[in-house]
Amino acid sequence: MWTEGESEGLQTLGIVVVVCSSLKLLHYLGLIDLSDDKIEDELEMTTVCHRPEGLEQLEAQTNFTKRELQVLYRGFKNECPSGVVNEETFKQIYAQFFPHGDASMYAHYLFNAFDTAQNGSVKFEDFVMALSILLRGTVHEKLRWTFNLYDINKDGCINKEEMMDIVKAIYDMMGKYTYPVLKEDAPRQHVEVFFQKMDKNKDGVVTLDEFIESCQEDDNIMRSLQLFENVM
C-alpha cells in the first residue's frame, strides 16, 4: 500500500520525467545553452541537408525572439549537421543519460511526441516548437503536449494499457538502482493511482479535459511545470 505522500509522488512522476528528460535532450543537442558570442544576423544553412523555415515564421509560431532562434539553430546545427534527428539518435542519447537502466522504449515514445509529422525524423522546427511549449507555453499547452506523449495510439484518450506502457518505460529507464525498494507490481499500482485521480467519470479512459483538470488541481504538478521557465 502507498502512503499518502508516496501516492502524490507517483502522480507527478510522469510529468516531472517528461519535462526533465526532454530538457536534457534539448540541452544535449545544444538548444538551451545560450552563449555570449557574436550572433549571425541570418541563419547559416549551407552545411545542412534540411533547411528550417524562415526566422520570421518560427518567431511567429513560438515564444522565442529572432536572436534566440539564431542561437538555438547554431547549437542544433553543431550537434546535428544533417539538420534532422532520428529515433536511433534519441535512444543513444538517453542511453547515456540513464546508463543503469534501459531507456529505449521511453526514447521511442518521446521521439514520437517530437515527431509531429510522424515521418521518422525530427527537424529543428520540431525541437523549437516543443522547447517553446516546455519552457514558455501556457499550462494548457504544456499539459496538452504531455497528454500527447501518453496517448500512444493518438485516439484522444489515455487507457490503462497506454499508461502502463509509459510507466514501465519510465521505470526501466530509471533502472533498478534508482528504485531498490519498489516491488514488481509498482508500475501497475502507479497506473491505478493515476486513474483514480484522473478518470473523473470512471469510464476507464482519461480524456484531455480530465487530464488537464486533474493536473491543475495538483500543486506538485503545477510546480513541476514551472521549474524550467527561466532556463532561457
Side-chain angles (χ1 to χ4, degrees):
M1 292 293 295
W2 300 108
T3 67
E4 183 177 350
E6 288 172 333
S7 295
E8 290 178 357
L10 287 172
Q11 291 160 11
T12 62
L13 174 61
I15 301 291
V16 173
V17 169
V18 166
V19 176
C20 294
S21 61
S22 299
L23 291 175
K24 279 187 175 182
L25 174 68
L26 296 165
H27 175 73
Y28 180 90
L29 292 172
L31 292 182
I32 54 175
D33 186 15
L34 292 175
S35 68
D36 294 327
D37 296 337
K38 182 179 181 296
I39 307 302
E40 298 85 355
D41 288 335
E42 299 296 334
L43 289 174
E44 298 174 5
M45 298 183 291
T46 58
T47 62
V48 298
C49 300
H50 170 75
R51 296 188 175 191
E53 300 170 356
L55 281 181
E56 291 77 14
Q57 185 172 350
L58 284 175
E59 189 175 2
Q61 293 174 335
T62 67
N63 297 313
F64 296 123
T65 66
K66 179 179 178 181
R67 178 186 180 279
E68 289 171 330
L69 288 167
Q70 289 171 335
V71 176
L72 290 171
Y73 181 71
R74 185 169 63 181
F76 185 86
K77 183 184 69 174
N78 288 339
E79 297 296 337
C80 308
S82 68
V84 297
V85 180
N86 59 30
E87 183 174 334
E88 187 58 34
T89 301
F90 265 60
K91 291 181 178 179
Q92 291 172 1
I93 292 171
Y94 275 85
Q96 295 178 41
F97 288 150
F98 302 95
H100 298 300
D102 180 0
S104 58
M105 282 309 300
Y106 184 80
H108 168 73
Y109 295 134
L110 191 65
F111 179 83
N112 287 340
F114 276 90
D115 182 17
T116 54
Q118 300 299 300
N119 60 7
S121 63
V122 174
K123 306 184 297 295
F124 173 69
E125 297 94 313
D126 300 320
F127 275 117
V128 169
M129 295 296 288
L131 184 61
S132 177
I133 291 172
L134 291 171
L135 296 187
R136 297 182 180 174
T138 65
V139 168
H140 275 233
E141 288 172 337
K142 292 176 182 179
L143 292 175
R144 190 178 300 113
W145 194 93
T146 305
F147 180 90
N148 183 61
L149 171 66
Y150 291 167
D151 181 16
I152 296 174
N153 64 8
K154 310 306 177 193
D155 66 349
C157 60
I158 303 170
N159 59 44
K160 287 189 176 182
E161 288 74 21
E162 289 174 316
M163 195 62 198
M164 177 64 73
D165 289 341
I166 292 290
V167 171
K168 281 184 176 179
I170 291 174
Y171 279 93
D172 287 345
M173 177 174 66
M174 294 301 186
K176 61 182 180 180
Y177 298 109
T178 305
Y179 295 101
V181 298
L182 289 185
K183 299 178 181 179
E184 263 186 49
D185 64 345
R188 184 166 299 281
Q189 292 186 40
H190 185 157
V191 171
E192 291 302 323
V193 170
F194 176 91
F195 270 81
Q196 287 172 15
K197 183 178 183 66
M198 303 277 181
D199 185 11
K200 299 290 189 181
N201 62 1
K202 307 303 179 187
D203 63 350
V205 297
V206 175
T207 64
L208 175 60
D209 288 341
E210 287 176 321
F211 183 78
I212 291 177
E213 180 183 350
S214 298
C215 288
Q216 288 182 313
E217 293 171 350
D218 190 308
D219 291 339
N220 292 325
I221 291 177
M222 289 297 96
R223 282 194 295 271
S224 74
L225 293 176
Q226 298 171 1
L227 288 176
F228 300 97
E229 289 183 350
N230 297 317
V231 170
M232 291 184 63

